[in-house]
């Protein structure tokens, strides 16, 4: 069955103007439908089948939007906020007219992959607790992350409110004097090949990771205390409030920098700098849709 809608509504949904502006454009003959100039802004059309041209521009209709955003620190994952800037402010007006919303949340001081869409069904599928869609994070942690932490995370961490998390995969990327500890426990495979770094080298990376600037006090405290710093990668299958930070706090450590790098089958595009975005490619969207179907069968 064909889907019909008003001509002015179709153009309005795509951000081409308010109802009054579009009414004026149609009345002055700026719009054609299937090659015929129209004068009635409320005429019923099939937006997917009829050819609509506005002032010489062929209009391609769509009603869904899928955007990958590299969320920067300092923005909240919300559609509106009375105090802070929202991630929607990073999108141009022609995309905001689709009324996208964040799929899940990243903390204000957390960077990384954030999906924005107006597809409620896909959002529900990706966020449903029953699906356990994995999310992977890169973090810099104050404290020596070792084999005991890896084992604790693998069985579930008891948070400050008594909740026990689902098993999580913790991998040490780089940490002072940790290789021998991992090797001794026979789990060196949990550590990816990466050179260790000194405190001075870690501090030197401050300007490379803007989100750390929001945690400068924590940095200063860690430096003053002479704490070792550990780069880690963590994959969790749920999304409790401040979960990554609380998991490390539960084992006596503090997250200084956090970036989400993957959500399900979708990795963060490394060419996107913080604050940049792009629409998802068709193959990426298909992977997201098919991923939850695959999970349903397992």
């Amino acid at each position: 069955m064909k889907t019909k809608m008003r001509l002015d509504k179709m153009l309005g949904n795509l951000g081409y103007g308010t109802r009054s502006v579009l009414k004026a454009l149609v009345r002055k003959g700026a719009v054609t439908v299937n090659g015929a100039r129209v004068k009635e802004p409320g005429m019923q059309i099939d937006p997917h089948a009829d050819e609509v041209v506005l002032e010489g521009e062929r209009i391609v209709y769509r009603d869904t939007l899928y955007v990958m955003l590299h969320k920067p620190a300092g923005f909240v994952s919300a559609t509106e906020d009375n105090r802070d800037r929202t991630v929607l402010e990073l999108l141009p007006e022609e995309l905001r007219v689709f009324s996208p919303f964040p799929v899940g949340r990243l903390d204000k001081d957390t960077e990384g992959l954030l999906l924005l869409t107006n597809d409620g069904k896909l959002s529900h599928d990706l966020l449903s607790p029953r699906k356990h869609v994995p999310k992977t994070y890169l973090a810099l942690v104050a404290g020596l992350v070792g084999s005991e932490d890896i084992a604790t995370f693998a069985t579930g961490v008891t948070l400050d409110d008594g909740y026990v998390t689902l098993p999580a995969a913790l991998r040490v990327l780089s940490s002072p004097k940790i290789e021998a500890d991992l090797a001794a426990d026979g789990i060196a495979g949990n550590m990816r090949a990466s050179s260790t770094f000194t405190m001075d080298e870690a501090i030197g990376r401050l300007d490379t990771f803007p989100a750390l600037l929001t945690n400068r006090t924590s940095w200063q405290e860690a430096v003053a205390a002479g704490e070792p710093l550990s780069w880690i990668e963590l994959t969790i299958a749920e999304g409790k409030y401040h979960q990554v930070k609380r998991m490390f706090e539960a084992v006596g450590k503090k997250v200084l920098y956090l970036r989400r790098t993957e959500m399900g089958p979708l990795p963060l595009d490394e060419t996107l700098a913080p604050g940049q975005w792009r629409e998802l490619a068709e193959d990426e969207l298909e992977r997201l849709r098919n991923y939850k179907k695959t999970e349903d069968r397992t």
Side-chain angles (χ1 to χ4, degrees), residues 132-183:
H132 300 313
V133 175
K135 305 166 191 68
T136 300
Y137 297 82
L138 169 71
L140 180 62
V141 178
L144 196 62
V145 179
S147 57
E148 184 176 343
D149 300 311
I150 292 172
T152 298
F153 278 52
T155 57
V157 178
T158 302
L159 302 182
D160 49 10
D161 60 359
Y163 177 79
V164 180
T165 70
L166 293 175
L170 173 61
R171 290 170 287 277
V172 180
L173 303 179
S174 181
S175 180
K177 301 183 177 122
I178 194 64
E179 291 91 340
D181 178 34
L182 290 171

Side-chain angles (χ1 to χ4, degrees), residues 5 93 106:
M5 70 166 54
E93 178 60 30
L106 290 179

Side-chain angles (χ1 to χ4, degrees), residues 71-78 84-85 87 104-114 137 211 214-215 239-246 249 255 258-260:
K71 178 193 171 298
F75 289 77
V76 295
S77 301
D84 298 307
R85 299 183 67 187
V87 291
R105 291 178 178 272
L106 290 179
D107 294 343
K108 180 180 176 180
D109 61 353
T110 298
E111 288 186 358
L113 174 63
L114 187 63
Y137 297 82
T214 66
N215 288 318
K240 300 298 181 182
Y241 180 69
H242 293 326
Q243 181 169 336
V244 175
K245 297 173 183 177
R246 293 167 66 201
E249 288 173 359
V255 172
L258 189 61
R259 172 185 289 180
R260 184 158 71 190

Side-chain angles (χ1 to χ4, degrees), residues 34 38 49 53 66 69 72 82 102 110-111 126-127 164 175 184 186 195 199 214 236 238 253 278 284:
N34 299 326
V38 297
V53 177
Y66 306 91
L69 171 70
N82 293 328
T110 298
E111 288 186 358
L126 293 174
L127 296 178
V164 180
S175 180
S195 61
M199 176 68 77
T214 66
I236 61 177
E238 52 192 336
K253 299 172 177 65
R278 67 167 174 80
E284 292 173 323

